[in-house]
Amino acid sequence: MDRYIAAWNEKNPERRSEAIREIWAEDSLYANTGQEFRGHAGIETAIREACEEFVEKGFSFALKSYAQNHNAVRITWDMVPSEGGTPAARGTEYLILGADGKVRTDHQFPEELPASA
């Protein structure tokens, strides 16, 4: 799960793309409350947008907790100022993994949204 969170914090496009190929299945789905992103190209778009909107503006995503039940994983995370402090946002991800351990589906449920980033 550390690699999953690290992918969302990765600023280098080449390393981010490599992490995506290692973590998500080629035909995976990532869905937040506003959009769906499919396949590696879609996941790259979602993570790039999050990086531009939050990480490059001084925030980072931090793993709060996770639990696994067979091929299902629940991750809770905080988005915190990189220098530390109170979380600006938090949420939960529900992942379904394939037999190869790669993410097949990834559904995000924000619990607290950032006031402004």
Side-chain angles (χ1 to χ4, degrees):
M1 295 305 103
D2 290 330
R3 289 182 338 148
Y4 174 90
I5 294 294
W8 288 91
N9 289 315
E10 181 57 63
K11 293 180 183 178
N12 180 288
E14 291 80 24
R15 287 194 301 255
R16 187 169 55 230
S17 180
E18 181 179 329
I20 289 165
R21 288 189 310 275
E22 291 174 357
I23 297 167
W24 281 269
E26 190 172 341
D27 61 346
S28 57
L29 164 71
Y30 165 72
N32 59 34
T33 56
Q35 297 180 56
E36 289 186 356
F37 300 86
R38 296 185 180 276
H40 288 158
I43 304 296
E44 285 195 48
T45 297
I47 294 178
R48 178 183 43 78
E49 289 175 358
C51 189
E52 290 170 355
E53 187 172 351
F54 303 114
V55 176
E56 291 177 4
K57 293 180 180 176
F59 292 92
S60 62
F61 296 96
L63 178 66
K64 188 171 177 186
S65 68
Y66 77 93
Q68 187 164 354
N69 182 347
H70 301 277
N71 70 327
V73 181
R74 182 191 71 233
I75 298 171
T76 58
W77 52 265
D78 288 334
M79 185 180 80
V80 297
S82 296
E83 68 276 359
T86 304
R90 57 179 29 124
T92 301
E93 307 284 325
Y94 291 98
L95 312 177
I96 300 297
L97 308 178
D100 59 1
K102 290 187 176 187
V103 176
R104 304 281 308 155
T105 63
D106 178 347
H107 288 83
Q108 180 191 78
F109 295 84
E111 295 163 19
E112 291 180 32
L113 296 173
S116 64

